[in-house]
Amino acid sequence: MSSTTPENSNDAKIIAPYGSWKSPITSDLVSGSDKFLFGISVDCFGHLFWVESRPNESGRLVLVKQGEKEGDKPIDITPKEFCVRSVTHQLQGGAFCISGDTLFFSNYKDQRLYRQSISSKDSTPVPITPDHGTPLVSYADGVFDSRFNRYIAVQEDCRESSMNSITTIVSINVDNESIQEPEALVAGSDFYAFPRMDPKGERMAWIQWNHPDMPWDRSELWVGYIGDEGEMQKRICVVGGDQMVVESPTQPKWSPQGELFFISDRETGFWNLYKWAESTNLVVPVFQLDAEFARPMWNFGMNSYDFIEDKDQKSLIACSYSQNGKSYLGILDPVQCTLSPIDLPFTEISTITSGIHCLYIEGASAVDPLSISKVTLDYQKSKAVDFRITWSSSRICSAYKSYFSMPELIEFPTSVPGLSAYAYFYPPSNPIYQANPEEKPPLLLKSHGGPTLETRAILNLGVQYWTSRGWAIVDVNYGGSSGYGRRYRERILGQWGIVDVNDCCSCAKFLVDSGKVDGERLCITGESAGGYTTLAALAFTETFKAGASLFGIADLNLLKEEMHKFESHYTDNLVGSGSAYFERSPINFVDQFSCPVILFQGLEDEVVPPDQARRIYTALTEKGLPVALVEYQGEGHGFRKAETIKFTLEQQMVFLARMVGHFDVADEITPIRIDNFD
């Protein structure tokens, strides 16, 4: 670090072309720090647990316990031959639950549920669900029912068909030594999530929905009453049953007093907090604000609020909410209907878990990578008196702070008069280098996946890898992204491949017209649905000069035919008519591609099968365009291995540098062969 840092801040910078700068933010640093969280929990003794990914262990997911004392090393709970990961609906999260001394978790290899003691050292996990020989029956989003000593979870059974699996809420008896088949508690709908027991074990809340809806389009909140034998005696639809009201309830949770709270976008179009008045079967808004208190359910086990008490034992709610591109921690008084923001260093907050006299928060900021922080509030719960990082995806990030590019939230006009969209712009940043004033930097536009996900202004070393070498990056929240309410999210319905593409092109044009980037060196990249937007932009517009697609979609018809159950009708809402499937599939219009493309694909991808990348590669090769295809054994939908992340980052940069050019990459990277170019 010292060899590349100026001795004096007044030293003259080295003049070098954008894209050619040297940077200590290496691909090894990025791939080694590319850790993710897949759930946090606090046991009854106040111990913090979390599931983290291990890129250097082929992406294995491990449950970790915080050290007993400040400064103690965290303890791995998961034995090396296990991986805490469920494949239910191909979603992440919801793979573990802690009750007292016992851990319940889904094991990735066989998808069976296991029980493990977390107090005894080197405890061996014991299976509690049958061995079906193949991992075709999976479990997620589970909770422990202490009244009947059983584990309740969402079960997906793919033994008859993976395209039309059977989903139920089941109970698993953990009393007997013999393993028994789980017993169905709730069945009949296409999908279930969030089974949650009340404090006495007498009522269970859950979310359910059916095709063709996604859970953020329309869903239902139900409550079932549990009989003396553990059976479901009766059930009530709390919200979502009225077809005249469009809403998507999520995250039901019982307060310590036995009141049911949940989040819905029923009245304002924004996900706000509500409470169920059981005696009258009415729904009462807790607090209404044009802000999002939840996000689309792309993961099991989402947890954006929790219950706390002040010094007078008054019940309050600690919650996260996002507004205008920034997240906040708030303390909500459900009686007074007041929301008090709490000032924190984080600008992005995704998960809140209540500890003993503290909160554990999963968050990040423009200078803080994904982290878990321990937040202690004052007695009145009106401000934070202590904030400390408990876990960080990359603790060495701060050493490179002088290289960080700070995101600028931009609002830009779209192709639809009167409508704007949003993005985060990261200018080139390096304390050693600068370019000639006459030169504008090359731009890499990032299109996020989903397409109903949301990009956020948090520290991402993968972004800083580019900006510290002299690239400008813009991360676009095109129409259809979450974080801006239902109306914004629904801009893309029936218009996928149009709204997202137009907004990305409009953003690039806006930056060119603003004088921030070089209009002749515009590149685009994206993963999954973002890869589709990338390929569609290259096929149907002439805005970009090169592109990189990571497990992107090329054929919408093929995607629909091979899509797993959770998303099998998703494209019907996004695309619309049958003819649009053909008209918006980049594979059908290869003759309209006019610039180089590089494709990266995992060979175990069950969401976007490898054949899609191969078909686009073959077609572009035959057309004579510069093209490259990189395939990875052992990778699925989303790259997990450190070596894969490293190679993809390096080859993407070298490819785009060679294609849009005017500079040499400073790093010693051996480029792969580019067909029709090398």
Side-chain angles (χ1 to χ4, degrees):
M1 182 73 179
S2 58
S3 63
T4 58
T5 302
E7 294 180 3
N8 190 306
S9 59
N10 295 321
D11 287 352
K13 288 188 175 184
I14 300 171
I15 304 296
Y18 286 116
S20 69
W21 303 347
K22 293 182 179 180
S23 170
I25 302 176
T26 64
S27 57
D28 285 313
L29 181 67
V30 176
S31 61
S33 66
D34 203 7
K35 294 181 180 179
F36 294 96
L37 287 169
F38 294 92
I40 62 178
S41 181
V42 177
D43 69 8
C44 59
F45 307 106
H47 301 133
L48 174 67
F49 296 79
W50 64 87
V51 171
E52 67 179 39
S53 62
R54 300 274 176 87
N56 293 320
E57 296 181 37
S58 299
R60 188 170 75 99
L61 303 188
V62 179
L63 182 76
V64 182
K65 179 184 178 182
Q66 184 183 14
E68 290 291 337
K69 301 189 298 293
E70 188 81 23
D72 284 359
K73 186 178 179 180
I75 304 164
D76 283 4
I77 301 297
T78 308
K80 291 188 177 299
E81 62 271 24
F82 289 86
C83 172
V84 183
R85 180 183 170 193
S86 170
V87 299
T88 302
H89 300 325
Q90 300 294 318
L91 300 180
Q92 306 283 5
F96 79 101
C97 174
I98 295 173
S99 178
D101 166 63
T102 305
L103 162 70
F104 300 93
F105 72 93
S106 293
N107 182 44
Y108 178 60
K109 184 175 182 180
D110 57 11
Q111 285 303 295
R112 298 175 74 185
L113 279 173
Y114 285 77
R115 178 179 59 194
Q116 180 184 0
S117 170
I118 54 177
S119 61
S120 58
K121 190 177 180 181
D122 301 324
S123 171
T124 301
V126 177
I128 61 172
T129 53
D131 182 1
H132 298 290
T134 57
L136 294 178
V137 180
S138 59
Y139 306 87
D141 215 3
V143 293
F144 184 70
D145 178 8
S146 58
R147 181 184 175 196
F148 293 101
N149 197 32
R150 60 185 180 177
Y151 192 69
I152 294 175
V154 175
Q155 180 196 71
E156 183 181 23
D157 189 341
C158 298
R159 284 175 290 181
E160 292 187 9
S161 170
S162 60
M163 305 291 288
N164 192 26
S165 59
I166 300 171
T167 306
T168 50
I169 297 177
V170 298
S171 67
I172 298 104
N173 194 317
V174 299
D175 249 345
N176 302 329
E177 291 187 6
S178 61
I179 298 175
Q180 301 174 351
E181 281 287 343
E183 179 182 343
L185 280 178
V186 184
S189 285
D190 290 324
F191 303 99
Y192 296 97
F194 295 106
R196 299 294 183 259
M197 302 300 302
D198 76 1
K200 295 182 179 179
E202 297 174 349
R203 297 165 295 175
M204 182 177 78
W206 70 88
I207 299 294
Q208 66 182 47
W209 67 100
N210 290 292
H211 286 317
D213 294 315
M214 300 299 286
W216 51 84
D217 294 326
R218 187 188 286 267
S219 56
E220 300 172 359
L221 168 60
W222 286 73
V223 169
Y225 292 83
I226 309 298
D228 293 338
E229 302 299 321
E231 78 283 7
M232 188 76 68
Q233 288 189 327
K234 69 172 184 175
R235 60 188 70 180
I236 295 173
C237 181
V238 176
V239 294
D242 185 352
Q243 294 302 305
M244 300 302 293
V245 179
V246 178
E247 64 178 313
S248 51
T250 186
Q251 294 191 44
K253 186 177 293 189
W254 300 92
S255 73
Q257 294 75 32
E259 293 181 304
L260 180 62
F261 289 79
F262 63 96
I263 297 174
S264 181
D265 56 355
R266 64 185 345 242
E267 295 177 356
T268 64
F270 288 87
W271 274 307
N272 286 185
L273 269 161
Y274 291 84
K275 183 175 73 172
W276 177 48
E278 183 178 12
S279 60
T280 59
N281 196 28
L282 295 177
V283 170
V284 181
V286 177
F287 190 83
Q288 292 187 310
L289 183 70
D290 285 353
E292 299 280 47
F293 286 73
R295 294 192 169 105
M297 204 202 89
W298 281 108
N299 300 301
F300 281 115
M302 302 177 84
N303 194 40
S304 61
Y305 70 100
D306 211 344
F307 301 102
I308 60 173
E309 292 182 343
D310 66 7
K311 63 181 180 63
D312 300 319
Q313 294 187 319
K314 181 181 180 181
S315 294
L316 301 171
I317 298 174
C319 57
S320 68
Y321 60 98
S322 62
Q323 194 173 41
N324 300 323
K326 183 180 178 181
S327 290
Y328 301 87
L329 171 66
I331 303 299
L332 199 160
D333 185 331
V335 176
Q336 300 295 325
C337 297
T338 58
L339 179 67
S340 304
I342 303 295
D343 188 33
L344 292 180
F346 286 163
T347 56
E348 161 62 25
I349 299 171
S350 56
T351 299
I352 295 176
T353 300
S354 181
I356 297 178
H357 307 305
C358 68
L359 295 170
Y360 289 102
I361 294 175
E362 178 185 339
S365 74
V367 294
D368 299 302
L370 178 67
S371 306
I372 302 174
S373 67
K374 180 181 180 181
V375 178
T376 304
L377 303 176
D378 64 357
Y379 289 126
Q380 289 77 29
K381 309 303 180 188
S382 61
K383 64 180 180 180
V385 295
D386 189 44
F387 176 94
R388 61 186 64 189
I389 300 297
T390 299
W391 175 90
S392 173
S393 58
S394 179
R395 288 196 175 274
I396 61 174
C397 276
S398 58
Y400 307 95
K401 191 173 181 178
S402 63
Y403 287 83
F404 292 166
S405 175
M406 294 295 103
E408 172 192 348
L409 176 64
I410 61 173
E411 181 177 350
F412 59 90
T414 70
S415 58
V416 179
L419 289 185
S420 297
Y422 306 92
Y424 294 105
F425 177 69
Y426 298 80
S429 177
N430 189 307
I432 309 294
Y433 294 91
Q434 67 181 30
N436 283 313
E438 300 80 17
E439 185 187 5
K440 302 296 182 185
L443 174 72
L444 180 62
L445 183 145
K446 292 170 64 69
S447 173
H448 65 69
T452 47
L453 291 174
E454 171 192 5
T455 188
R456 299 153 195 161
I458 64 176
L459 180 60
N460 179 345
L461 288 182
V463 168
Q464 304 300 331
Y465 177 84
W466 293 84
T467 56
S468 62
R469 285 164 172 76
W471 282 76
I473 294 279
V474 66
D475 216 345
V476 183
N477 277 321
Y478 48 76
S481 304
S482 57
Y484 299 89
R486 178 181 281 268
R487 183 176 297 180
Y488 193 85
R489 196 169 69 244
E490 290 185 345
R491 283 187 192 179
I492 205 167
L493 294 184
Q495 298 292 307
W496 191 29
I498 298 176
V499 166
D500 50 324
V501 170
N502 288 344
D503 285 0
C504 287
C505 293
S506 295
C507 183
K509 182 179 184 300
F510 175 80
L511 292 173
V512 172
D513 294 343
S514 302
K516 294 180 180 291
V517 300
D518 185 349
E520 296 302 313
R521 293 190 288 176
L522 303 178
C523 303
I524 184 171
T525 185
E527 302 178 358
S528 188
Y532 165 71
T533 301
T534 294
L535 294 173
L538 298 176
F540 304 126
T541 77
E542 297 181 353
T543 302
F544 301 98
K545 307 303 179 183
S549 170
L550 284 70
F551 41 94
I553 300 153
D555 188 332
L556 293 174
N557 270 310
L558 189 62
L559 176 74
K560 182 180 179 181
E561 291 171 3
E562 299 183 343
M563 182 59 72
H564 57 94
K565 182 184 176 182
F566 180 71
E567 296 183 66
S568 61
H569 289 262
Y570 187 26
T571 53
D572 292 340
N573 294 330
L574 293 172
V575 179
S577 67
S579 61
Y581 276 87
F582 180 89
E583 294 163 359
R584 296 187 211 156
S585 293
I587 191 65
N588 299 324
F589 298 90
V590 175
D591 59 314
Q592 296 181 194
F593 277 78
S594 59
C595 66
V597 182
I598 187 168
L599 306 137
F600 299 91
Q601 179 67 46
L603 294 179
E604 295 181 10
D605 194 332
E606 296 181 6
V607 179
V608 181
D611 186 58
Q612 295 220 15
R614 290 169 181 163
R615 289 181 62 199
I616 204 85
Y617 165 74
T618 300
L620 293 179
T621 301
E622 293 173 353
K623 180 176 170 63
L625 284 175
V627 62
L629 170 63
V630 181
E631 295 182 328
Y632 298 111
Q633 291 281 355
E635 291 283 14
H637 197 68
F639 301 149
R640 295 174 176 270
K641 299 179 182 179
E643 59 268 28
T644 302
I645 297 167
K646 169 184 168 68
F647 192 79
T648 300
L649 187 61
E650 291 179 343
Q651 294 304 323
Q652 188 176 178
M653 171 166 281
V654 171
F655 179 89
L656 296 180
R658 295 179 74 192
M659 295 301 101
V660 303
H662 314 316
F663 58 84
D664 293 321
V665 174
D667 304 80
E668 294 184 4
I669 301 171
T670 303
I672 61 171
R673 183 179 183 278
I674 302 173
D675 292 294
N676 300 321
F677 183 81
D678 290 321

